[in-house]
Amino acid sequence: MLEMIKELCALPGISGRENAVRDYIIKKIEGYAEYSIDPLGNLLVFKKGRKPANKKVMLDAHMDEVGLIITAITSEGYLHFTKVGGIDTRVILGRTVKVGEKAVNGVIGIKPGHLVAENALADIPGADELYIDIGASSREEAAEYVSLGDSAWFAGGFVEFGEGFVKSKALDDRVGCAILIEMIRSELEYDAWFSFSVQEEIGTRGAQTAAFSIAPDYAVVVETTTAADISGVKDEKRVCICGKGGTVSFMDRSTLYSKELFDRAFEIAKDKDIAIQPKTMVAGGNDAGAIHKSRGGVKVLTVSVPCRYLHSPGGVIKYSDAEESLKLVKALAEDFAK
């Protein structure tokens, strides 16, 4: 699964431009399950288990990553952009990116310090003050490689370091995609339905239509979530900790989860000796926010892999947390199905 995470993270796939990720997943699951693509671009998968499910369970992970979209080309050949998804401007200054269908190399530029007023040096520039430099000398030259509406994505390489840590762009949520692929390629006790959804980062749009089509009784969203286990942060403000297993939420900004399912996750983890931890702050949101309101309502739970520096070119996870999350999601799917 580690190699699969590496390959998935290397693919471009900002919100609304998930084609390469979807094509990769199809190649990995072909022959293991039935699948279809809905009009929005979600990849919907049915995997037959050893037994029919008493309750329909949907497993969801989103394919898209945060990124940029090109809005203008200046006369000097620089590219203006807007952010796609929740990106902190601080993490993109001076970063390298790939742009457009030709994956042109670029750098996010900023006005040099000697041109900034001294009292403004500590200020974070607005996104409209930034630009992408692709080495072009004119609008005409830049337009040979890039068009308005093209996407740009971080060029954060995949690195293994420390004791089982991994750094890459797009770990949110290619880790979740890899976990679901592993499940589809394995034998399952009960029938299961999967959604590799689009456009999560701009409002959980794909999951909304996917849940309507699948019409599940239960859903498990497989995600990453902010791990603030860094220097100077203590206690519950750390949210979750890398190396302590999958993270289960009791509430976030889009969902108040069933206490019954939250407690059940910890019971199952204890019975099966699976590493698990609670998400200790009410923050963020994910596809569960759209899924639980679908049709007549769906009981949902989110299992997240802790990830430091989320929505940046260098997210960090501990790989063992992905393995533990896979065990937990598989056990939950089986329990809910019966």
Side-chain angles (χ1 to χ4, degrees):
M1 189 167 67
L2 181 62
E3 185 63 25
M4 192 151 48
I5 293 171
K6 179 180 180 180
E7 292 170 352
L8 280 161
C9 287
L11 298 170
I14 75 164
S15 303
R17 309 283 193 273
E18 301 93 348
N19 306 46
V21 181
R22 185 172 57 240
D23 291 345
Y24 174 93
I25 295 170
I26 289 171
K27 287 179 183 176
K28 288 292 183 181
I29 66 169
E30 213 141 25
Y32 291 93
E34 303 168 15
Y35 67 87
S36 63
I37 301 169
D38 74 11
L40 211 58
N42 298 307
L43 177 60
L44 307 179
V45 181
F46 171 69
K47 167 75 175 182
K48 190 157 185 60
R50 296 187 187 95
K51 304 171 190 172
N54 295 318
K55 297 290 184 181
K56 186 182 280 189
V57 180
M58 170 183 173
L59 292 308
D60 171 85
H62 67 89
M63 297 184 287
D64 58 316
E65 64 189 284
V66 296
L68 314 169
I69 195 164
I70 307 305
T71 57
I73 304 175
T74 72
S75 58
E76 304 100 324
Y78 298 111
L79 313 178
H80 286 298
F81 60 85
T82 192
K83 293 185 281 189
V84 179
I87 305 174
D88 185 337
T89 304
R90 292 176 301 168
V91 307
I92 68 175
L93 305 179
R95 297 291 188 172
T96 54
V97 293
K98 299 277 189 179
V99 187
E101 293 183 6
K102 296 179 181 178
V104 177
N105 291 312
V107 178
I108 297 178
I110 183 173
K111 186 185 292 185
H114 70 275
L115 296 179
V116 180
E118 189 172 346
N119 63 357
L121 279 172
D123 295 344
I124 300 168
D128 57 348
E129 299 177 63
L130 305 177
Y131 56 87
I132 298 174
D133 182 351
I134 61 169
S137 58
S138 66
R139 179 185 286 115
E140 291 73 24
E141 184 182 2
E144 293 178 24
Y145 302 92
V146 179
S147 301
L148 301 189
D150 278 353
S151 59
W153 59 97
F154 296 129
F158 187 95
V159 176
E160 295 179 57
F161 68 104
E163 291 294 324
F165 286 93
V166 166
K167 185 279 295 185
S168 180
K169 64 96 172 169
L171 287 165
D172 177 22
D173 185 30
R174 305 293 161 70
V175 175
C177 291
I179 288 171
L180 296 195
I181 294 169
E182 280 289 307
M183 284 188 66
I184 292 168
R185 290 165 64 94
S186 70
E187 286 194 14
L188 300 181
E189 190 66 22
Y190 293 94
D191 297 347
W193 289 257
F194 298 80
S195 168
F196 296 92
S197 56
V198 298
Q199 299 187 36
E200 189 268 355
E201 299 292 3
I202 56 171
T204 64
R205 300 174 185 180
Q208 182 176 347
T209 62
F212 186 89
S213 297
I214 293 173
D217 299 298
Y218 293 88
V220 181
V221 175
V222 188
E223 257 285 12
T224 58
T225 196
T226 300
D229 57 336
I230 56 175
S231 178
V233 180
K234 296 180 180 179
D235 304 324
E236 74 280 355
K237 290 188 177 180
R238 305 183 97 186
V239 185
C240 55
I241 297 171
C242 291
K244 289 200 170 183
T247 304
V248 179
S249 305
F250 48 79
M251 180 180 175
D252 58 39
R253 289 180 183 160
S254 65
T255 311
L256 178 56
Y257 296 89
S258 160
K259 184 69 162 57
E260 176 192 359
L261 299 192
F262 178 82
D263 290 344
R264 185 67 183 137
F266 283 84
E267 290 171 10
I268 290 171
K270 184 177 180 181
D271 289 344
K272 296 184 177 291
D273 195 25
I274 299 170
I276 188 174
Q277 59 183 312
K279 182 175 177 177
T280 60
M281 286 191 72
V282 176
N286 54 58
D287 280 341
I291 294 170
H292 82 279
K293 295 182 288 186
S294 179
R295 291 185 180 263
V298 180
K299 290 186 176 183
V300 296
L301 199 65
T302 293
V303 176
S304 301
V305 175
C307 183
R308 297 172 188 158
Y309 327 123
L310 204 66
H311 288 189
S312 82
V316 169
I317 65 165
K318 191 156 190 179
Y319 177 62
S320 61
D321 292 332
E323 294 180 308
E324 293 301 304
S325 295
L326 170 61
K327 294 176 192 174
L328 181 59
V329 172
K330 199 168 182 177
L332 288 169
E334 183 174 319
D335 188 71
F336 296 167
K338 68 184 179 185

